[in-house]
Amino acid sequence: ARTDLVAGLDGEPYVLLVAEDGQSLEPFALKAECTHLGCLVGGLDPARGNRFVCPCHGSEYARDGRVLRGPAPRSLHLARVTVTDDDAVFLSRWTEPDFRLAAGDDPAKPA
């Protein structure tokens, strides 16, 4: 799965994810800042099962930004991705409920 690092909301680094069809973008982007101490997470690492890995303290995140291994306390932040008819890409604040959380999950604990 391909990813691209872009300057997103407020100029912060965000990761755009190519959808499974290989053509379109996922409707969400991930802020590429580890929720532990703010280090920049790397791209999806095939050697680690296509996870995002923080090079500072080893936190690992799933493709959707959920914490798989700490010390990160929370999932990566989301942004809404919109692609216009002329293929311009826009990021906006995520205002919907976090789709990564099942009912009763604690967002502060790794999966």
Side-chain angles (χ1 to χ4, degrees):
R2 203 184 84 201
T3 60
D4 288 312
L5 188 64
V6 299
L9 301 175
D10 301 322
E12 295 289 335
Y14 277 79
V15 176
L16 294 176
L17 296 106
V18 175
E20 298 297 322
D21 65 13
Q23 303 295 316
S24 60
L25 292 175
E26 293 287 2
F28 63 91
L30 301 170
K31 188 172 183 183
E33 183 178 280
C34 182
T35 59
H36 176 229
L37 293 176
C39 295
L40 187 66
V41 297
L44 287 173
D45 185 346
R48 291 232 166 102
N50 279 328
R51 296 176 177 196
F52 294 102
V53 179
C54 178
C56 297
H57 300 104
S59 293
E60 296 182 10
Y61 300 89
R63 187 179 184 282
D64 66 3
R66 283 176 296 118
V67 176
L68 297 174
R69 179 173 166 257
R74 292 175 308 284
S75 298
L76 297 174
H77 297 286
L78 295 166
R80 165 71 51 207
V81 173
T82 305
V83 181
T84 64
D85 291 338
D86 59 349
D87 293 329
V89 177
F90 291 95
L91 271 63
S92 57
R93 302 225 179 274
W94 189 268
T95 57
E96 297 87 359
D98 190 333
F99 63 87
R100 302 169 297 188
L101 298 177
D105 280 352
D106 182 348
K109 292 186 180 176

